[in-house]
Amino acid sequence: MSYRLVVLAGPDEGRIFALGTENVLVGRSRATDTRLIDPHVARVHCQIQWLDDHYVISDFESEGGTFVNGMRIREHELGVGDLIRIGNTRLQFLEDDQTPSPEAAITVVPSKSPTLTGDAVPAPVPVSGWARQLTGQSFGQYKIGTLLAKSKTGYVFHARHVRKNVDAALKILDLKYSSDDALVKRFIEAMKTVLPLRHPNLVLVQSAGKTGQHCWVAMEYVRAENMAAVIGRIETTGMFDWRNVVRVLVYLTRALVYAHSQKIIHKCVTPQNILLGKDLARTKLSDLMLASAIERDPTLPLPSGEPSDELAYMSPERTDGPGKPLDARTDIYSLGASGYALLTGQPPFAGKTPQDMIARIRLQSPPSIPQLHPGVPEELEFIILKMLAKRPEDRYRSAQQLLEELEKFAEAQDVVC
């Protein structure tokens, strides 16, 4: 009988680690067998050993602790089906022919673990009851399957178009959005705007609507990796080739040129909304118009008091909060910040509080790119820094002008895009 660890939740969700008779080190370090990207996991967090006829998991005195079935452990003999939590990552110990239990698969780990007192264990945050009951239901022509992820605005499910028999990603918004008539109207108008759009570097919106009390949008199912996960893994895998960063920027700028030509400003061009395919030419920007439909305020802190993930990629003018008129140059800034992070492994600015980060975004210069990633051409740094200019008038005046500059640079460097 062979066994495996399946990552159920966290930044590495979906990864599978086969277990044999060799010891398996679990952590973020390149020296471990897992190389997780969860920043709340220790570099070497725990170990799984084969002892005679069973597996034993041992904590490596990690600060956050190792938990099995909700109990903090130092050493524990694993049984089939056991749930393991380290940092913000949940795993399940299974036989090879088993699938994760539905209850385990739809449990979301808190974004940051509370401080532990003794062996007290913070309860995992369960998926809302309404989301738990959606699997198997039909919204429009789509039958809802398994939960793929929890987003900041709701939940994303794998779905299937019943008539066409094709996969889709179905995003169902949190009930607070569908209970507000003004938000529902704004959502419907926004989706009407994006439904006709077709571009190879934009995630295709197939359909949208409101079923019962749920607002939803069906998108093409893209087999690709979130850019945020790629950036989070740079510390262990090494820097992303700057030539590939140029390619990604070209593809995304082409998407922005098209969107802006349709009078659409994205407003939330962040690594969380960028998908990188194995073939980088299939890089796609997602959630077009969703930021406009929902009008979330990126300056608001998380429940922990920390800045939101998207704030680090917001333009200085965007940090004033929602309601201020924005133009294409805010997308150019956010794309520049995303490109900076893909080059260096970190966003241009960081801070412990939203106020601290906003002050840095408005007033400070980002760390030098070549110092963080030696070998990056000065011309590429110049392009990104111009994208990150504090004043909109000091940036590229349009995505088209930026695209011309990027393509000119790519051609000079023999980078095929």
Side-chain angles (χ1 to χ4, degrees):
M1 184 65 66
S2 53
Y3 299 86
R4 60 183 180 155
L5 286 177
V6 179
V7 182
L8 304 176
D12 295 272
E13 182 178 342
R15 294 181 67 191
I16 298 173
F17 305 107
L19 299 177
T21 57
E22 300 292 327
N23 292 349
V24 174
L25 291 176
V26 181
R28 290 188 296 112
S29 169
R30 189 175 298 186
T32 67
D33 301 281
T34 58
R35 300 185 183 185
L36 299 173
I37 64 173
D38 182 350
H40 300 290
V41 169
R43 295 185 64 79
V44 181
H45 201 107
C46 59
Q47 175 181 248
I48 296 176
Q49 296 174 283
W50 173 256
L51 297 176
D52 298 327
D53 60 349
H54 59 271
Y55 287 97
V56 172
I57 183 170
S58 307
D59 183 65
F60 268 27
E61 298 184 358
S62 60
E63 182 178 351
T66 298
F67 300 84
V68 178
N69 299 328
M71 297 295 293
R72 187 168 188 167
I73 59 96
R74 288 187 175 86
E75 188 173 282
H76 175 85
E77 180 179 331
L78 287 171
V80 173
D82 278 352
L83 295 172
I84 302 165
R85 179 170 67 80
I86 56 174
N88 284 354
T89 298
R90 286 176 64 87
L91 310 98
Q92 191 168 26
F93 175 70
L94 297 168
E95 294 178 354
D96 261 353
D97 58 352
Q98 287 184 301
T99 56
S101 62
E103 287 296 308
I106 58 175
T107 303
V108 179
V109 180
S111 61
K112 186 171 183 180
S113 302
T115 302
L116 300 176
T117 304
D119 287 339
V121 181
V125 179
V127 168
S128 299
W130 62 264
R132 191 185 300 273
Q133 299 167 9
L134 292 177
T135 297
Q137 293 189 30
S138 294
F139 280 15
Q141 294 291 320
Y142 298 89
K143 186 170 184 179
I144 301 173
T146 56
L147 180 71
L148 295 175
K150 184 181 188 306
S151 72
K152 295 178 180 62
T153 54
Y155 297 92
V156 182
F157 291 83
H158 179 271
R160 194 118 186 122
H161 192 286
V162 177
R163 184 172 56 82
K164 295 180 180 178
N165 195 32
V166 294
D167 291 324
L170 193 73
K171 176 173 283 190
I172 301 176
L173 300 187
D174 192 277
L175 291 175
K176 67 182 179 182
Y177 298 114
S178 54
S179 60
D180 184 316
D181 290 342
L183 281 177
V184 171
K185 182 178 179 181
R186 189 187 302 159
F187 169 77
I188 291 172
E189 291 303 315
M191 292 305 102
K192 285 180 180 178
T193 302
V194 298
L195 277 170
L197 302 186
R198 298 290 185 275
H199 190 277
N201 300 116
L202 287 176
V203 173
L204 174 66
V205 175
Q206 299 173 344
S207 185
K210 186 181 182 191
T211 300
Q213 56 184 333
H214 302 292
C215 286
W216 56 271
V217 53
M219 300 165 286
E220 65 173 312
Y221 186 76
V222 181
R223 299 185 185 279
E225 188 170 24
N226 185 289
M227 186 196 279
V230 174
I231 293 169
R233 206 166 52 240
I234 283 176
E235 181 183 352
T236 56
T237 59
M239 291 296 182
F240 207 66
D241 189 328
W242 65 263
R243 297 168 186 82
N244 286 333
V245 175
V246 173
R247 293 184 176 98
V248 169
L249 287 174
V250 167
Y251 301 137
L252 293 171
T253 303
R254 288 172 181 167
L256 288 180
V257 168
Y258 175 73
H260 294 169
S261 73
Q262 306 299 309
K263 311 301 182 186
I264 294 173
I265 308 301
H266 192 291
K267 296 185 182 179
C268 197
V269 179
T270 69
Q272 291 81 6
N273 288 329
I274 296 170
L275 299 173
L276 301 180
K278 288 185 178 180
D279 175 3
L280 288 179
R282 297 184 179 180
T283 293
K284 290 179 182 283
L285 181 62
S286 69
D287 281 359
L288 192 65
M289 284 296 291
L290 200 57
S292 296
I294 293 173
E295 279 292 321
R296 294 178 68 250
D297 186 350
T299 65
L300 294 178
L302 298 172
S304 63
E306 294 178 318
S308 63
D309 292 339
E310 62 262 42
L311 179 56
Y313 301 93
M314 296 294 102
S315 63
E317 63 269 25
R318 186 85 164 88
T319 62
D320 290 333
K324 181 176 179 177
L326 300 169
D327 61 27
R329 293 170 295 183
T330 195
D331 284 347
I332 290 172
Y333 179 99
S334 295
L335 179 59
S338 299
Y340 181 102
L342 192 58
L343 272 174
T344 65
Q346 63 187 50
F349 305 101
K352 293 183 178 180
T353 66
Q355 293 77 14
D356 183 24
M357 186 176 288
I358 288 171
R360 293 169 188 260
I361 290 171
R362 292 175 176 174
L363 302 172
Q364 292 190 4
S365 298
S368 165
I369 292 175
Q371 286 183 3
L372 297 171
H373 187 165
V376 171
E378 291 183 3
E379 298 91 332
L380 179 56
E381 182 183 35
F382 174 85
I383 292 171
I384 291 179
L385 291 181
K386 186 170 180 178
M387 296 169 73
L388 293 175
K390 303 296 183 188
R391 302 192 310 163
E393 55 267 34
D394 292 333
R395 297 174 209 148
Y396 294 97
R397 64 177 179 271
S398 67
Q400 181 61 47
Q401 186 189 31
L402 170 61
L403 179 61
E404 291 169 3
E405 190 83 355
L406 284 168
E407 290 181 334
K408 179 181 177 182
F409 171 75
E411 183 178 0
Q413 297 291 334
D414 292 325
V415 177
V416 180
C417 301

